[in-house]
Amino acid sequence: MRSAAYHWDMTDLLVLVANAGDGSISTFRLQNGALDRIAVTEGITGCSTFAVDGERDLVYAAVKPDGTSDAAGILTLALDRQSGALTPTSRLDLPSGGMNYLALSHGGTVLLGASYGGGYGIASVVADGVVAEPASRVEFRNLHSVLPSADGRFAYFVSLGDDLIGQYALDAEAGLTPLDPPTVAAPAGSGPRHLVLNDEQDAVYVLTEFSGEVLHYARDTAAGTLTLRGAASAVDPSASLTHSRFGADPIAQHLIWAADLHAGDGVLWASERGASTLAPVAVAADGSVSDATTFTVTEPQPRGFAVAGEWLVAAGERSTEVSLYAVDGDQLELRQRIETGRGANWVRFV
């Protein structure tokens, strides 16, 4: 498995980190193997996800109600690459509930969103950075993420509450049409959460929150449909965590609490918050996955992280710092810890 992260221009790399506790986004510049925080943009209330249009230097951030609106919403911000500052340019209110995951498609002209609390997903047209009212809406319990295929023809919505993936055809006007079948199941009680597509687009991988597994789905690149093929564990067995369930307190009850998933070079990196680990799940040439065997303890409660080439940046919900790692295959070397803010939970390279 190859990682799209290896296509980054490593000479001009920024890292954005959402600090939900502070209502801010930190901007870091990565140069000479070190992070330098160059800006902190305030007033991004409760942000726990954002999507980046690197071609237009626009950031679409999910925000909670604040002094400007009684509704949650999606805030568009213009990124100044020199200063790192983010300037609000427009906002779409979402009275039905805020987004927990945002993703762009069709060259940045369609925005997809998934709402955990609202139990719905959206697709909206974007023009000049302005997000239109949703053109399409889907409903499943506790939607946790959504991603489009690379060609923009399909979109996949992951429902933690219903243990399934909704699969749709996606068009340039943000229309969503259910495929046949419209959903594909995840193991009952597994709590599917985040997903990635491989570069070849013939596999989708889903991390489950309650069982801490990476599910491998084969993908029909013509029809867009998924078929479950296998699974592998991303949980450190020495931590003695047990299977979680909806509504449980994973820390108090010592339960599995997996969070984020990203592709590396031949591996899928997964974070788990019960033991605060990052783990590499190996991907074979045929797309199958194997249990992780090495684990790196990282920032407390690592809800979000990101990978770009030889670098990984991880944030922790119970930390005010992020960690920068050098990546060598399935190994991580800690290079730096640097202040970001409270409740850091989302990381993206730009």
Side-chain angles (χ1 to χ4, degrees), residues 211-212 233-243 250-258 271-279 292-298:
S211 62
S233 175
V235 179
D236 184 355
S238 71
S240 300
L241 300 171
T242 57
H243 196 293
I251 296 299
Q253 300 178 45
H254 203 57
L255 305 176
I256 294 168
W257 198 16
S271 67
E272 195 285 312
R273 290 173 287 181
S276 296
T277 58
L278 297 167
T293 58
T294 61
F295 303 88
T296 299
V297 175
T298 187

Side-chain angles (χ1 to χ4, degrees), residues 115-349:
S115 173
Y116 184 88
Y120 73 104
I122 60 170
S124 293
V125 171
V126 181
D128 298 322
V130 178
V131 182
E133 292 290 333
S136 301
R137 176 178 170 130
V138 302
E139 295 188 2
F140 296 101
R141 291 189 304 155
N142 308 115
L143 279 174
H144 220 310
S145 63
V146 57
L147 278 183
S149 57
D151 60 12
R153 295 175 55 223
F154 302 96
Y156 303 94
F157 289 83
V158 180
S159 167
L160 181 146
D162 288 328
D163 287 322
L164 59 78
I165 303 167
Q167 42 191 16
Y168 295 85
L170 173 67
D171 63 38
E173 288 73 45
L176 292 168
T177 303
L179 301 183
D180 183 14
T183 65
V184 59
S190 62
R193 181 181 170 97
H194 283 186
L195 77 159
V196 299
L197 287 84
N198 66 349
D199 277 3
E200 295 78 11
Q201 299 289 288
D202 60 2
V204 167
Y205 298 94
V206 178
L207 181 66
T208 61
E209 180 170 329
F210 299 153
S211 62
E213 295 172 293
V214 174
L215 308 178
H216 167 217
Y217 291 86
R219 177 174 180 268
D220 184 321
T221 56
T225 51
L226 308 181
T227 304
L228 182 60
R229 295 297 191 201
S233 175
V235 179
D236 184 355
S238 71
S240 300
L241 300 171
T242 57
H243 196 293
S244 190
R245 62 194 181 280
F246 196 86
D249 183 334
I251 296 299
Q253 300 178 45
H254 203 57
L255 305 176
I256 294 168
W257 198 16
D260 205 2
L261 184 71
H262 294 282
D265 186 14
V267 301
L268 292 158
W269 289 99
S271 67
E272 195 285 312
R273 290 173 287 181
S276 296
T277 58
L278 297 167
V281 172
V283 181
D286 65 358
S288 61
V289 288
S290 301
D291 292 352
T293 58
T294 61
F295 303 88
T296 299
V297 175
T298 187
E299 300 294 334
Q301 278 182 218
R303 182 179 184 270
F305 69 99
V307 181
E310 62 183 313
W311 303 108
L312 185 153
V313 175
E317 293 173 299
R318 292 193 296 110
S319 174
T320 62
E321 297 181 309
V322 293
S323 288
L324 172 67
Y325 297 92
V327 183
D328 183 6
D330 63 355
Q331 300 295 313
L332 297 178
E333 178 188 348
L334 180 62
R335 291 292 184 84
Q336 183 185 11
R337 296 185 72 213
I338 184 171
E339 182 70 20
T340 180
R342 293 184 303 116
N345 55 13
W346 198 262
V347 184
R348 287 293 183 266
F349 287 87

